[in-house]
């Protein structure tokens, strides 16, 4: 066996020091297993052996044959033919493993493996194998931009030939068409060298044909299609396409009105992601999620050597910037950490760019979402990196900020002159959103910085005067104008002034530095911004603000707030200061059963020092109290990571617990109140609905700690009973956070009478909404509902709405509730209102279970339900008409009742027990339904109606049960089913007592 392993062909290129990994060993085992089956066998014997083996070990045989195809070209045709004959899943296993191999190991493939992969893809396309388009998508990601090496060019041209040869197949996949257009538009830009002109012309012809013939599909690419078309606009074919796009859009697609339609549509993240190889993507994600600021230089240097070292790789920077801007959107927790932020990575890409054309394209990639930004459709995370690059580079890399501001001013009139006003509005929308969301406190220090050239400052102030004036049209930064009195651009070699150069110049802009922040921790970089935060406060408070930013403690915050007097700081300045003071703090967390020491430690955050002022009274303290509330309002309007409401709830809970512990007398301890009015006042001042505010705070709590959320739940539902019970968003925030232990805790609190989360009123709306939740979330909900002893009558209205395929969680829970109930008219009516589905066994299962103990009652109820669907028959013929009377116009329809009875009949036939249909009441109801039904209904349910013609009535299920238990029974049961029915209805068996909660075993 060892000898055979050593002779196995190789999928991957391995160096002498590399060990085999799990993937390689797995494929070698599968290959050896495959060879052991077919070695020294005739073709028929090999085929029989493979068919026998594939029944037992399908995946192992498939992988062995896949490796043979990829490593043995001489056997590939025969092996692929055998693979298609023995496959049991339409090659799904092969496709899934092929995609995994490509995404994880393509760069290590042998040359033979790469060639065979392309051959295999062509064969599967030729045979129309379902799912091969996803393999093509993954492989195209390795057709990298900025790479003109032979291996990459071979892949690019081979894939292009495959698509040209199989154009009819390609047209079936609109998403793949978009991917192909987006990929080759980007690659055409790089193939502008003599050696690649033939390939480039082939790419141009193919892409032009795809765009013109499938423009309706290509429209889905959005604004980045325009960006890529701009880069190749000088090619004659694309120049003509541009003329049609701008002047004759209807010729391309009837639904295409103008280029603005594209520019206002955001490009899907999947296409931005597709222009980086999976390996590049993993490295960039690691850099922006794992590497600490100040420790990132070695990673960046490695990345540059690996991917950005060649002249043609300059164009790759635009792809990376679009990926970082549009795809990498860090969480609030990551934003608050010391991980290298996105703006720092983008700043590094800009400062290391040595080509002016690439630099211009990189700046356009950075600002591209600004140009037609719509706050309703676009994401602020797409515009945040650009403003932060300019803001943070002003101190240590002012030339970067200068070139970006210059670009931003020039792009307004020059991007597309007819749309200059729309571009201006898009940029203004971006800046306004940046201020509203408090990405930066204000833009004046950026736009009026003395480090900018005088002419550039003048241009910026004229372009963005709304953002850098004090209302009188005068600059507010108090800068002194310096430099050339003639007013021309200042070209200097000094460290503080940028040197501008036109895009057409051969030499790049000289990027100078004064002090380099690259090796500083992120917290230290943020500390350098303190003068801006402190400068917004009154002079006497500035030292205290510095202390607060240093210590970030509740004590320092209290000292600052106590010192607030006349003049008072503005709420905006105080909001910015406290947001900065807590942004690097760890999220709010406690253990499952927090100790007093742990709670006191958690209250050390600066934000908690503000809450005591909400409960004080007096003239002077009232002004301070209003200042605090205004500050909370300002923080809330910033929509930052800081949730004041959550911290307030936590503070009130800690105070409540502390007061309870301090009160030794049990009677007086019960009188301690949870100060819920403080939270209500906070909501009123901020004009928030109390229930929605609680839901918002609990959703923020999900990001912090599930233990905090569970710890707050009993008090929230007790103190805000009306607003919290049945609140859908609040409930979803809870059930989407719980684990099994926390769910058990809530169930125990409910059974103890310390938690009431539901009320019967309007519970149907909540249950209907919950049907779209995740499985475990619905499981938690129904466990909590059962613990609250919600009756089956409360859930009856949703029974007809539940889909057997889509709502399995709810149906299972309702089924177990019905298991504890006796059959009655209301429940049966709702059951029979469900639509008919051959796979839906919900109604049949319920009825069959009830028949085990209440068959006669079920038969009586069903017969009445069926009889009353036909108004021609009077229900007065029944013995007890008032007991089971159903309004003639009540649902369900006659066809629904017959449909469910037909399903019940089939089930009874399978169990060889037709006793319920041979009851006298059922016989009469079926005969009545048959006589009053149309011919088509009679034909449809002929088997069901035939049951009414049988004379011999077998013994009932109840009686059979008694016989099996050797109990004396009435010997007339065989001849008098009516007497049996009478006995059963008058004296039914005592039903089992309903359980209070559904156990885990249920």
């Amino acid at each position: 066996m060892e000898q055979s392993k050593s002779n196995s062909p190789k999928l991957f290129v391995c160096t002498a020091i590399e060990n085999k990994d799990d993937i390689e060993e797995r494929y070698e085992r599968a290959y050896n297993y495959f060879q052991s089956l077919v070695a020294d066998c005739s073709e028929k014997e090999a085929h029989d052996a493979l068919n026998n083996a594939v029944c037992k070990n399908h995946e192992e045989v498939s992988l062995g044959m896949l490796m043979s195809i990829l490593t043995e070209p001489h056997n590939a045709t025969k092996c692929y033919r055998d693979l298609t004959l023995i496959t049991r899943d339409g090659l799904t296993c092969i496709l899934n493993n092929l995609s995994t191999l490509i995404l994880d190991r393509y760069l290590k493939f042998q040359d033979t493996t790469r060639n065979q992969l392309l051959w295999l893809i062509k064969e599967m396309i030729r045979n129309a194998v379902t799912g091969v388009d996803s393999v093509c998508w993954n492989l195209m990601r390795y057709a990298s931009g900025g790479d003109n090496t032979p291996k990459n060019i071979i892949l690019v041209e081979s894939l292009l030939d495959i698509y040209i040869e199989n154009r009819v197949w390609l047209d079936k996949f609109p998403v793949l068409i978009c991917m192909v257009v987006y990929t080759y538009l980007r690659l055409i830009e790089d193939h502008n060298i003599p050696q690649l002109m033939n390939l480039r012309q082939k790419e141009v012809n193919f892409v032009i044909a795809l765009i013109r013939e499938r423009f309706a599909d290509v429209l889905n690419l959005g604004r980045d299609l325009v960006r890529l078309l701009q880069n190749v606009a000088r090619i004659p074919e694309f120049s003509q396409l541009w003329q049609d796009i701008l002047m004759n859009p209807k010729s391309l697609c009837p639904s295409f009105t103008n280029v603005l339609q594209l520019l206002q549509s955001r490009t899907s993240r999947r296409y931005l992601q597709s222009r980086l190889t999976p390996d590049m993507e993993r490295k960039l994600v690691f850099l922006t999620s794992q590497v600490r600021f100040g420790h990132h230089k070695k990673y960046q240097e490695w990345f540059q050597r690996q991917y950005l070292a060649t002249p043609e790789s300059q164009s790759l920077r635009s792809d990376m910037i679009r990926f970082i801007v549009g795809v990498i959107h860090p969480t609030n927790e990551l934003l608050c950490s010391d991980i290298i932020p996105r703006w720092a990575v983008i700043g590094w890409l800009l400062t290391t760019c040595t080509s002016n054309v690439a630099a211009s394209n990189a700046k356009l990639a950075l600002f591209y979402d600004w140009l037609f930004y719509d706050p309703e459709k676009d994401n602020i995370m797409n515009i945040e990196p650009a403003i932060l690059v300019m803001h943070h580079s002003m101190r240590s890399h002012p030339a970067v900020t200068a070139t970006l501001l210059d670009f931003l001013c020039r792009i307004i009139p020059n991007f597309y002159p007819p749309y200059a006003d729309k571009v201006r509005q898009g940029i203004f929308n971006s800046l306004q959103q940046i201020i509203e969301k408090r990405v930066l406190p204000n833009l004046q220090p950026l736009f009026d910085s003395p480090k900018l050239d005088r002419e550039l400052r003048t241009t910026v102030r004229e372009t963005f005067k709304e953002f850098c004036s004090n209302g009188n049209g005068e600059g507010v930064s108090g800068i002194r104008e310096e430099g050339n009195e003639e007013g021309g651009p200042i070209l200097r070699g000094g460290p503080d002034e940028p040197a501008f150069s036109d895009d057409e110049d051969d030499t790049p802009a000289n990027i100078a530095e004064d002090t380099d922040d690259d090796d500083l921790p992120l917290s230290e970089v943020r500390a350098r911004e303190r003068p801006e935060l402190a400068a917004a406060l009154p002079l006497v408070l500035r030292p205290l603000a510095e202390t607060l930013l240093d210590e970030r403690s509740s004590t320092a915050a209290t000292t600052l707030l106590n010192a607030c007097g006349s003049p008072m700081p503005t709420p905006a300045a105080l909001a910015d200061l406290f947001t900065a003071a807590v942004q690097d703090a760890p999220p709010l967390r406690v253990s499952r059963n927090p100790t007093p020491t742990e709670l006191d430690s958690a209250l050390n955050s600066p934000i908690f020092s503000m809450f005591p002022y909400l409960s004080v009274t007096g003239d002077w303290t009232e002004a301070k109290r209003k200042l605090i509330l205004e500050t909370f309002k300002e923080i809330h309007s910033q929509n930052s990571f800081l949730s004041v409401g959550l911290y307030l709830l936590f503070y009130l809970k800690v105070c409540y617990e502390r007061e309870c512990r301090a009160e030794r007398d049990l009677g007086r301890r019960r009188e301690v109140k949870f100060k819920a009015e403080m939270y209500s006042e906070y909501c009123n001042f901020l004009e928030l609905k109390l229930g929605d505010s609680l839901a918002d705070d609990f959703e923020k709590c999900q990001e912090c700690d599930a233990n905090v959320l569970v710890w707050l739940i009993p008090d929230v539902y007790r103190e805000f009973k009306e607003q919290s019970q049945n609140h859908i968003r609040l409930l979803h925030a809870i059930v989407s956070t719980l684990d099994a232990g926390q769910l058990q805790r809530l169930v125990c609190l409910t059974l103890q009478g310390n938690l009431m989360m539901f009320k019967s009123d309007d519970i149907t709306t909540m249950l209907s909404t919950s049907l779209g939740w995740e499985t475990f979330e619905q499981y938690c909900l129904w466990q909590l509902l059962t613990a609250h002893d919600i009756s089956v009558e409360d859930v009856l209205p949703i029974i007809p709405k539940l889909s057997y395929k889509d709502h399995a969680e709810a149906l299972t829970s309702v089924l177990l509730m019905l298991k504890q109930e006796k059959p009655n008219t209301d429940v049966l009516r709702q059951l029979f209102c469900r639509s008919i589905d051959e796979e839906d066994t919900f109604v049949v299962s319920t009825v069959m279970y009830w028949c085990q103990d209440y068959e006669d009652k079920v038969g009586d109820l069903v017969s009445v339900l069926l009889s009353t669907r036909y108004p021609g028959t009077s229900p007065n013929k029944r013995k007890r008409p008032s007991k089971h009377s159903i309004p003639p116009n009540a649902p369900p329809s006659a066809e629904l009742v017959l449909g469910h009875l037909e399903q019940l009949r089939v089930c009874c036939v399978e169990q060889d027990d037709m006793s319920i249909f041979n009851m006298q009441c059922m016989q009469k109801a079926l005969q009545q339904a048959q006589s009053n039904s149309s011919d088509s209904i009679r034909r449809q349910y002929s088997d069901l109606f035939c049951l009414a013609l049988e004379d011999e009535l077998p013994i009932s299920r109840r009686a059979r049960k008694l016989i099996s238990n050797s109990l004396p029974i009435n010997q007339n049961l065989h001849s008098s089913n009516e007497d049996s029915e009478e006995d059963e209805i008058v004296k039914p068996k005592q039903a089992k007592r309903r359980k209070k909660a559904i156990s885990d075993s249920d």
Side-chain angles (χ1 to χ4, degrees):
M1 190 68 178
E2 292 298 325
Q3 181 64 29
S4 66
K5 279 188 178 182
S6 64
N7 294 330
S8 298
K10 302 294 183 184
L11 273 175
F12 310 122
V13 176
C14 297
T15 63
I17 62 173
E18 287 181 322
N19 292 323
K20 292 179 181 178
D21 59 14
D22 293 341
I23 293 179
E24 188 169 7
E25 290 184 348
R26 180 188 182 198
Y27 275 87
E28 284 193 1
R29 285 196 304 270
Y31 174 81
N32 292 326
Y33 176 63
F34 163 66
Q35 288 297 326
S36 69
L37 294 174
V38 299
D40 302 324
C41 292
S42 66
E43 189 169 333
K44 183 179 184 306
E45 291 172 341
H47 191 265
D48 292 340
L50 289 174
N51 265 321
N52 292 331
V54 82
C55 296
K56 303 174 184 176
N57 204 339
H58 180 268
E59 186 172 13
E60 194 79 4
V61 175
S62 299
L63 293 187
M65 299 181 78
L66 175 60
M67 182 166 178
S68 178
I69 292 171
L70 293 178
T71 57
E72 298 175 332
H74 57 283
N75 290 329
T77 302
K78 177 180 179 298
C79 196
Y80 177 73
R81 183 199 64 195
D82 292 343
L83 179 62
T84 58
L85 292 174
I86 68 165
T87 183
R88 296 292 188 268
D89 60 357
L91 298 182
T92 300
C93 174
I94 293 292
L95 292 170
N96 291 339
N97 283 279
L98 207 53
S99 290
T100 303
L101 267 182
I102 291 170
L103 290 174
D104 293 341
R105 292 290 189 277
Y106 179 79
L107 294 178
K108 296 183 68 176
F109 276 8
Q110 300 268 8
D111 290 341
T112 301
T113 306
R114 296 188 182 200
N115 294 334
Q116 286 303 109
L117 172 63
L118 292 167
W119 177 86
L120 178 58
I121 288 174
K122 283 192 285 188
E123 288 298 307
M124 290 193 289
I125 290 175
R126 191 167 59 85
N127 292 306
V129 174
T130 303
V132 70
D133 54 305
S134 63
V135 177
C136 294
W137 178 288
N138 293 327
L139 185 57
M140 268 202 296
R141 293 190 60 185
Y142 286 96
S144 175
D147 182 1
N148 289 340
T149 58
K151 285 187 177 181
N152 192 58
I153 295 301
I154 289 172
L155 176 61
V156 169
E157 189 163 16
S158 299
L159 285 172
L160 181 63
D161 291 337
I162 289 174
Y163 296 136
I164 292 173
E165 293 169 12
N166 298 278
R167 175 62 195 278
V168 175
W169 170 84
L170 179 61
D171 285 344
K172 298 176 183 177
F173 304 99
V175 176
L176 187 60
I177 288 175
C178 290
M179 171 67 159
V180 171
V181 170
Y182 193 84
T183 298
Y184 282 96
L185 267 181
R186 170 65 187 86
L187 296 175
I188 289 170
E189 176 188 352
D190 291 336
H191 297 165
N192 188 24
I193 56 176
Q195 305 94 300
L196 299 177
M197 292 309 293
N198 291 334
L199 171 60
R200 186 187 190 194
Q201 191 58 48
K202 187 167 30 170
E203 291 170 335
V204 168
N205 294 340
F206 181 64
V207 171
I208 284 289
L210 266 185
I211 292 176
R212 287 189 174 278
E213 296 170 18
R214 306 291 301 221
F215 198 79
D217 297 326
V218 175
L219 274 175
N220 293 320
L221 284 172
R223 62 174 63 122
D224 276 87
L225 172 64
V226 178
R227 183 178 64 86
L228 296 182
L229 284 172
Q230 285 177 297
N231 294 339
V232 295
R234 293 185 180 181
I235 298 174
E237 292 87 345
F238 285 107
S239 177
Q240 182 58 48
L241 177 64
W242 265 115
Q243 291 299 315
D244 291 340
I245 289 174
L246 298 176
M247 305 302 175
N248 192 15
K250 295 289 184 183
S251 66
L252 296 170
C253 176
S255 61
F256 181 52
T257 55
N258 52 46
V259 71
L260 188 64
Q261 183 177 340
L262 278 168
L263 291 168
Q264 291 178 334
S265 175
R266 190 151 54 103
T267 299
S268 170
R269 299 167 72 173
R270 68 167 74 180
Y271 300 115
L272 302 179
Q273 178 193 40
S274 71
R275 284 301 74 227
L276 297 186
T277 67
D279 192 54
M280 291 181 199
E281 179 189 357
R282 284 190 288 267
K283 299 299 190 300
L284 280 178
V285 169
F286 175 80
L287 190 63
T288 53
S289 63
Q290 303 292 330
V291 178
R292 294 174 60 193
F293 198 94
H295 298 266
H296 57 282
K297 263 196 168 181
K298 61 180 179 182
Y299 296 98
Q300 291 177 345
E301 289 170 357
W302 180 92
F303 192 94
Q304 186 157 350
R305 286 195 307 271
Q306 188 78 9
Y307 302 114
L308 301 173
T310 61
E312 57 267 21
S313 65
Q314 293 288 321
S315 63
L316 194 56
R317 283 174 166 79
S318 297
D319 299 329
M320 292 180 177
I321 290 174
R322 290 302 294 154
F323 173 77
I324 293 170
V325 166
V327 180
I328 297 182
H329 289 175
T331 62
N332 286 333
E333 187 173 355
L334 201 61
L335 289 172
C336 300
S337 69
D338 60 353
I339 299 300
I340 181 172
R342 295 188 298 166
W343 59 261
V345 179
I346 292 173
W348 159 64
L349 291 172
L350 292 173
T351 55
T352 55
C353 190
T354 58
S355 163
N356 286 306
V357 174
S360 294
N361 289 338
K363 285 181 276 189
L364 180 63
L366 179 60
F367 285 112
Y368 203 58
D369 292 302
W370 288 51
L371 306 185
F372 296 90
Y373 184 79
D374 182 354
E376 298 297 323
K377 299 178 182 177
D378 289 296
N379 191 334
I380 192 172
M381 296 297 284
N382 290 3
I383 63 174
E384 178 219 53
I387 197 69
L388 292 181
V389 169
M390 293 190 288
H391 171 72
H392 289 283
S393 298
M394 182 62 79
R395 182 175 52 256
S396 56
H397 301 281
V400 173
T401 303
T403 55
L404 292 177
L405 282 175
D406 180 64
F407 181 88
L408 196 58
C409 293
R410 292 172 185 263
I411 197 72
I412 293 175
N414 294 321
F415 179 76
Y416 182 49
Y419 288 167
D421 290 340
K422 296 186 182 300
V423 174
R424 180 186 299 274
Q425 186 59 51
I427 293 176
F428 275 44
N429 288 343
S430 302
L431 293 171
Q432 192 65 42
Q433 188 85 343
I434 284 166
I435 293 175
E436 289 176 0
K437 299 297 185 181
R438 312 296 289 183
V439 177
L440 290 182
N442 59 75
L443 299 174
Q444 295 159 2
L446 176 63
F447 289 164
D448 279 342
S449 173
K451 291 189 176 185
L452 298 178
D453 173 84
R454 187 180 68 174
E455 183 172 339
L456 178 58
R457 280 182 295 178
T458 302
T459 303
V460 170
R461 284 200 297 269
E462 290 175 353
T463 306
F464 306 114
K465 53 182 177 291
E466 294 88 346
F467 299 98
C468 53
S469 68
N470 61 6
N472 299 321
E474 300 172 357
V476 295
S477 63
I479 61 173
R480 293 193 307 273
E481 302 293 347
E482 303 173 359
N484 188 356
E485 294 300 327
E486 284 76 14
I490 302 174
L491 303 178
R492 296 179 178 174
D496 291 335
E497 291 295 347
F500 293 103
S501 62
D502 294 331
D503 291 343
E504 291 78 11
D505 292 345
D506 293 331
T507 58
N510 177 29
I511 297 176
E513 303 180 13
D514 53 0
T515 56
D516 195 346
D517 290 342
D518 287 351
D519 294 323
L520 295 175
L522 186 57
S523 57
E524 187 66 26
V525 175
R526 287 173 176 159
R528 293 189 177 192
E529 302 171 12
R530 292 176 186 173
E532 297 178 15
L533 296 168
L537 297 172
L539 189 61
V540 68
L541 297 179
R542 293 178 188 178
L544 300 177
E546 291 282 350
T547 303
L548 173 59
L549 291 171
D550 282 331
E551 297 181 2
R552 303 176 187 271
S553 66
S554 179
T555 303
T558 302
T559 304
L560 173 70
L561 293 173
N562 286 337
C564 290
S566 183
M568 283 280 194
T570 63
L574 210 56
D576 290 338
L577 177 65
F578 273 83
T579 301
V582 300
Q583 67 180 357
D584 289 329
L588 192 61
R589 287 198 175 104
V590 296
S591 60
R592 285 184 181 261
N593 296 296
T595 62
T597 304
E598 185 181 355
L599 296 176
D600 292 340
S601 176
L603 291 187
N604 193 41
S605 176
I607 193 68
F608 290 110
S609 65
M610 307 176 81
F611 298 136
Y613 293 93
L614 298 181
S615 59
V616 296
T617 56
D619 295 338
W620 180 248
T621 51
E622 180 62 27
K624 194 173 292 187
R625 177 171 165 277
K626 187 175 181 181
L627 170 65
I628 298 297
L629 287 171
E630 290 283 0
T631 301
F632 289 159
K633 192 170 188 178
E634 187 69 25
I635 293 174
H636 184 269
S637 67
Q638 294 177 12
N639 195 26
S640 66
F641 65 92
L642 181 59
S643 175
V644 175
L646 170 60
Y647 282 88
L648 178 55
L649 287 172
F650 186 85
Y651 170 80
L652 296 175
K653 169 76 170 179
V654 173
C655 292
Y656 175 72
E657 294 278 339
R658 189 181 289 167
E659 290 182 30
C660 287
R661 286 196 308 270
E663 190 61 66
R664 295 184 178 180
D665 183 80
L666 185 60
R668 296 180 61 180
R669 183 182 300 174
R670 291 172 182 158
E671 297 176 2
V672 174
K673 299 297 183 182
F674 186 97
K675 297 178 181 177
E677 65 279 359
M678 288 176 61
Y679 187 85
S680 300
E681 185 180 2
Y682 159 80
C683 293
N684 290 335
F685 191 86
L686 271 62
E687 299 177 353
L688 303 173
K689 291 184 177 179
L690 206 154
D692 292 341
S693 179
L694 288 170
D696 291 337
D697 294 334
F698 269 45
E699 287 170 354
K700 288 287 181 69
C701 192
Q702 285 178 297
E703 302 173 14
C704 294
D705 185 34
N707 287 334
V708 173
L709 185 145
V710 174
W711 192 60
L712 292 174
I713 285 173
D715 299 274
V716 167
Y717 274 90
R718 182 186 66 248
E719 301 297 332
F720 307 103
K721 179 179 178 181
E722 291 300 319
Q723 296 82 7
S724 58
Q725 286 184 349
N726 287 13
H727 194 287
I728 296 172
R729 279 182 53 220
L730 180 62
L731 185 63
H732 187 234
I734 293 171
V735 297
S736 61
T737 308
L738 298 177
D739 60 24
Q742 292 162 340
L743 173 63
Q744 182 190 32
R745 180 176 178 180
L746 294 184
V747 169
C748 290
L749 287 171
T750 302
L751 298 182
Q752 295 167 21
N754 295 328
L755 178 62
M756 184 63 65
M757 300 175 67
F758 305 102
K759 53 186 176 182
S760 297
D761 300 342
D762 198 30
I763 200 172
T764 306
T765 303
M766 182 197 69
L767 293 176
S768 300
T769 305
S770 71
L771 298 177
W773 295 356
E774 297 292 336
T775 294
F776 188 73
E777 294 169 0
Q778 293 193 55
Y779 168 79
C780 291
L781 170 64
W782 284 99
Q783 290 283 62
L784 291 170
L785 283 169
T786 306
H788 284 74
D789 207 20
I790 296 295
S791 66
V792 72
E793 287 77 13
D794 295 325
V795 303
L796 282 182
I798 72 164
I799 290 180
K801 304 175 185 178
L802 299 178
S803 165
Y804 191 73
K805 294 179 180 177
D806 301 330
H807 306 139
E809 301 90 349
L811 271 177
T812 302
S813 301
V814 174
L815 188 63
L816 294 176
M817 291 181 71
L818 293 175
K819 181 175 179 286
Q820 311 295 330
E821 300 292 328
K822 292 181 182 179
N824 62 66
T825 300
D826 293 334
V827 175
L828 206 66
R829 184 188 305 164
Q830 294 293 347
L831 285 178
F832 277 72
C833 282
R834 290 181 57 78
S835 58
I836 305 299
D837 186 341
E838 291 183 3
E839 298 181 6
D840 185 354
T841 61
F842 178 78
V843 176
V844 170
S845 301
T846 306
V847 173
M848 293 292 288
Y849 178 80
W850 279 340
C851 283
Q852 294 178 23
D853 293 319
Y854 308 105
E855 183 179 57
D856 296 326
K857 186 171 184 179
V858 171
D860 190 53
L861 292 172
V862 173
S863 63
V864 171
L865 186 64
L866 179 60
S867 299
T868 52
R869 296 310 93 204
Y870 294 92
T873 303
S874 172
N876 292 331
K877 297 179 181 179
R878 301 288 304 162
K879 296 178 181 179
R880 293 170 296 280
S882 60
K883 184 175 180 180
H884 302 295
S885 178
I886 302 175
N889 60 346
S893 65
E895 287 192 36
L896 278 177
V897 177
L898 290 173
H900 287 297
L901 287 178
E902 172 62 18
Q903 287 187 320
L904 182 63
R905 181 195 69 80
V906 172
C907 188
C908 290
V909 168
E910 291 176 352
Q911 295 189 9
D912 194 23
D913 185 355
M914 306 296 295
S915 56
I916 187 172
F917 286 101
N918 290 306
M919 293 172 60
Q920 184 178 5
C921 58
M922 286 293 292
Q923 288 284 306
K924 290 180 179 179
L926 287 172
Q927 291 169 4
Q928 175 183 325
Q930 183 181 25
S931 62
N932 287 277
S933 295
S934 63
D935 292 340
S936 62
I937 294 296
R938 290 173 186 168
R939 286 193 297 271
Q940 183 178 357
Y941 298 106
S942 57
D943 292 338
L944 179 65
F945 289 138
C946 282
L947 298 178
L949 304 177
E950 297 179 4
D951 296 328
E952 184 179 353
L953 306 181
I955 188 170
S956 72
R957 183 182 277 104
R958 176 82 186 278
R960 187 178 300 137
K961 207 173 193 181
L962 295 174
I963 292 173
S964 65
N965 292 332
S966 301
L967 295 177
I969 61 172
N970 189 344
Q971 297 299 322
N972 294 326
L973 280 172
H974 288 277
S975 58
S976 179
N977 187 269
E978 183 176 349
D979 292 341
S980 173
E981 176 192 358
E982 184 70 25
D983 291 341
E984 291 302 314
I985 295 176
V986 174
K987 299 179 181 179
K989 179 181 177 181
Q990 181 65 34
K992 291 177 281 187
R993 187 172 180 269
R994 182 185 170 197
K995 299 178 182 178
K996 289 292 183 181
I998 299 176
S999 68
D1000 290 341
S1001 60
D1002 290 335

